[in-house]
Amino acid sequence: MMLAFAARGRAVSSLATRLVRPRVTPMHRPAPWSAVTRPLRRTAEVFRSTGAVVPGAAVPVVDAGARRMLGWWLAGMSGAVFGMVAVGGYTRLTRSGLSMTEWKLGGTKLPSTLDEWTVAFDKYKLTPEYLKLNKGMSIEEFKSIYFWEWFHRMWGRSLGVLFAVPAAFFVARRPTRNAIKQLRLYPRLGLLFGLGGLQGLVGWWMVKSGLDHTHILGIERDKDDMPKVSPYRLATHLSFAFVTYGLLAWTSMGLLSDPAIAVAEAKRLATLSPKALKSLRRFRTGVHGAASLMGLTIVSGAFVAGNLAGLVYGDWPLMGGQFVPAGIKEEWDRFTPGIRNVFENVALVQFDHRMLAYSTLAAGTGLLVAANRLSSRLPAGAMFRTRLVAAVVWGQATVGVATILWNVPVSLGVLHQTGALTAWTLALWLMHSLRPIRMAGPLAAAPAVAVSAVAAAGCLLAIRDDDDGDDQAQAAPDSEKQPKLAH
């Protein structure tokens, strides 16, 4: 009896394993669209959170010291990029960006003698900005704007050195090299280095539009347009900076966090009821939506800066005494095709930015209300980070209003730009704390799948036993009809 019970147990276990395990066909023929989706999947791997743990899988054993060393290195790089964005904002607001008329890969030495300054100043005198806006500027005034543009460019080049030299050191050192390999960081580091180099080229491409008075994609600029960089290229430059910074910050968050803690938190969440887990997933989706809305608001702010739209309407909450400014309709026919109004019509550009800012403010407030309702279920630290996001979004909106009312002073303009980057950082930090919610789904479903598989296996075995019993019952009368053999 015991042997039969053990055999049946092994049969149930084997059949359950076959039901749960995905079927693998030896002669699998790839789908015709796999050639297109395979590169996309590989690209998605690069953006996968560092150190993320697949539910049910073993936590990769990585040297903790090497992991922290890599994390603090990339966190320091994030801070350096943050500072560069702030310096870039100051360079733009002081109208220093077009003072250098040449770009060299290795950089340019800061002029030190009067002759060197005179050569640089003579080149600037040929630019549209000098001829239309700064004619009569003294060489001492020129030195100030030239320094800030030079400092901004050299800061960018120093970032490349600060990234490449430690990266080479970490690859040469065995513990960190093994950590990079185990965490699959090589594609991520290569992407970050490429984004940094591309950002320098995009920066010169942006400056070139102000020197040549050009736009983008063959769009002609009005000859009477104020000499400035193209708003399209400025938005591209700022977007690249935010993407690079965001990827650096996200990677450092993954390296400085403990994957085992995330797994433990996911296991705790997996014990919640399906309804509670569903409400947490909805909250996580809302956070991602609010972060996307925040990113769109930041990009629209780049077009406000590129068009100097913040200087047009200095009142709030109305614009020129109206909720929808009359300037939208008045300037509409200037731009062909009409879609250009979204990016160049200064009245519409500022109106869009205000509406997106209000939407982001409402989203941040809504997240705080939802988090208060889910405070006992949220992963550790998520409630605190949600409060920070809501507070910074409100502060950013307040600074934005003050910047408009006081006609965009340099100090408030820089504070508003760095405030946007701060809000973006906190949104990423909040999303990072919600990773256990995604991991908890498979953990909660795994026991149910296993129980269902075992139950299905038991049913199949019971049916097979019934069939065997019927076959034996039918065979018994036939055996009775056969003549008995003599002993």
Side-chain angles (χ1 to χ4, degrees):
M1 177 67 69
M2 292 298 294
L3 293 175
F5 181 79
R8 174 163 295 189
R10 286 193 298 271
V12 171
S13 178
S14 176
L15 186 54
T17 302
R18 290 197 299 270
L19 289 172
V20 175
R21 183 184 301 162
R23 185 176 179 182
V24 179
T25 306
M27 299 298 292
H28 174 69
R29 302 179 66 180
W33 55 82
S34 61
V36 177
T37 58
R38 190 180 299 112
L40 296 177
R41 289 197 301 270
R42 290 176 180 173
T43 303
E45 286 292 326
V46 176
F47 288 93
R48 180 179 294 178
S49 59
T50 303
V53 181
V54 179
V59 179
V61 180
V62 181
D63 183 85
R67 186 186 184 102
R68 284 194 301 271
M69 189 178 297
L70 292 169
W72 284 116
W73 164 54
L74 293 179
M77 289 298 304
S78 303
V81 173
F82 191 104
M84 185 176 180
V85 172
V87 172
Y90 185 86
T91 303
R92 172 181 57 81
L93 289 164
T94 55
R95 301 192 64 83
S96 305
L98 300 179
S99 58
M100 294 182 68
T101 60
E102 296 176 341
W103 185 86
K104 297 179 181 179
L105 183 61
T108 303
K109 174 181 171 294
L110 183 67
S112 56
T113 65
L114 180 59
D115 291 340
E116 292 175 346
W117 279 113
T118 302
V119 171
F121 192 28
D122 289 341
K123 293 178 181 179
Y124 176 68
K125 288 179 179 179
L126 301 176
T127 63
E129 183 179 67
Y130 177 83
L131 296 174
K132 292 186 177 182
L133 297 177
N134 292 336
K135 207 163 187 177
M137 171 185 280
S138 67
I139 193 168
E140 294 300 323
E141 293 173 326
F142 172 73
K143 287 181 180 180
S144 176
I145 63 173
Y146 186 96
F147 170 79
W148 282 108
E149 174 63 12
W150 175 86
F151 183 63
H152 182 56
R153 293 190 189 188
M154 295 309 295
W155 191 316
R157 288 178 173 86
S158 66
L159 288 179
V161 176
L162 291 174
F163 186 89
V165 173
F169 170 76
F170 291 139
V171 171
R173 188 171 175 267
R174 179 177 295 178
T176 48
R177 180 174 66 248
N178 292 338
I180 292 173
K181 183 178 180 181
Q182 290 172 319
L183 296 172
R184 297 180 295 177
L185 278 177
Y186 281 111
R188 179 78 61 90
L189 296 178
L191 178 62
L192 285 169
F193 188 75
L195 284 173
L198 187 60
Q199 176 72 337
L201 295 176
V202 171
W204 171 243
W205 176 64
M206 176 190 69
V207 171
K208 192 72 172 169
S209 67
L211 298 174
D212 298 341
H213 205 65
T214 55
H215 246 330
I216 191 174
L217 300 177
I219 298 176
E220 295 291 336
R221 289 185 72 168
D222 191 343
K223 293 181 180 181
D224 297 328
D225 189 14
M226 179 186 296
K228 61 181 184 294
V229 298
S230 167
Y232 298 97
R233 302 192 189 190
L234 175 62
T236 304
H237 188 52
L238 186 66
S239 299
F240 266 97
F242 270 73
V243 169
T244 304
Y245 171 81
L247 192 55
L248 279 168
W250 182 268
T251 307
S252 64
M253 291 173 192
L255 289 169
L256 294 174
S257 62
D258 190 348
I261 295 178
V263 172
E265 189 68 21
K267 290 180 179 179
R268 180 189 71 83
L269 297 178
T271 62
L272 299 176
S273 65
K275 183 178 180 180
L277 198 56
K278 185 178 180 180
S279 64
L280 289 177
R281 284 197 292 265
R282 284 199 300 265
F283 177 76
R284 178 174 174 268
T285 301
V287 170
H288 283 256
S292 301
L293 182 60
M294 183 184 297
L296 185 60
T297 306
I298 291 170
V299 174
S300 75
F303 281 97
V304 172
N307 288 286
L308 304 179
L311 300 172
V312 179
Y313 293 96
D315 54 338
W316 184 86
L318 301 178
M319 296 178 65
Q322 300 177 339
F323 179 73
V324 179
I328 296 178
K329 185 176 180 180
E330 294 172 357
E331 299 291 324
W332 188 269
D333 294 332
R334 281 188 55 200
F335 305 101
T336 304
I339 190 63
R340 289 178 57 189
N341 282 275
V342 179
F343 308 106
E344 298 181 58
N345 187 325
V346 291
L348 183 58
V349 166
Q350 190 185 139
F351 178 79
D352 288 343
H353 186 61
R354 289 192 185 194
M355 296 303 107
L356 286 170
Y358 296 152
S359 301
T360 303
L361 186 62
T365 307
L367 287 179
L368 182 60
V369 173
N372 283 326
R373 295 177 179 175
L374 302 171
S375 57
S376 61
R377 307 170 191 169
L378 287 173
M383 186 68 220
F384 173 70
R385 300 179 193 190
T386 306
R387 289 170 180 166
L388 281 181
V389 169
V392 171
V393 166
W394 273 93
Q396 176 71 349
T398 303
V399 172
V401 172
T403 303
I404 290 175
L405 294 178
W406 287 333
N407 202 30
V408 194
V410 174
S411 57
L412 284 180
V414 174
L415 182 61
H416 194 50
Q417 182 161 315
T418 54
L421 197 54
T422 303
W424 180 243
T425 306
L426 293 175
L428 293 175
W429 196 33
L430 174 58
M431 288 193 293
H432 198 272
S433 70
L434 300 179
R435 290 181 307 158
I437 297 176
R438 176 179 59 85
M439 298 163 58
L443 286 175
V449 172
V451 170
S452 301
V454 171
C459 293
L460 291 175
L461 289 176
I463 294 173
R464 188 182 69 180
D465 292 344
D466 291 343
D467 292 341
D468 292 343
D470 293 341
D471 294 341
Q472 293 176 3
Q474 292 176 2
D478 294 336
S479 60
E480 292 176 359
K481 295 178 183 180
Q482 295 178 357
K484 296 182 180 180
L485 298 177
H487 293 286

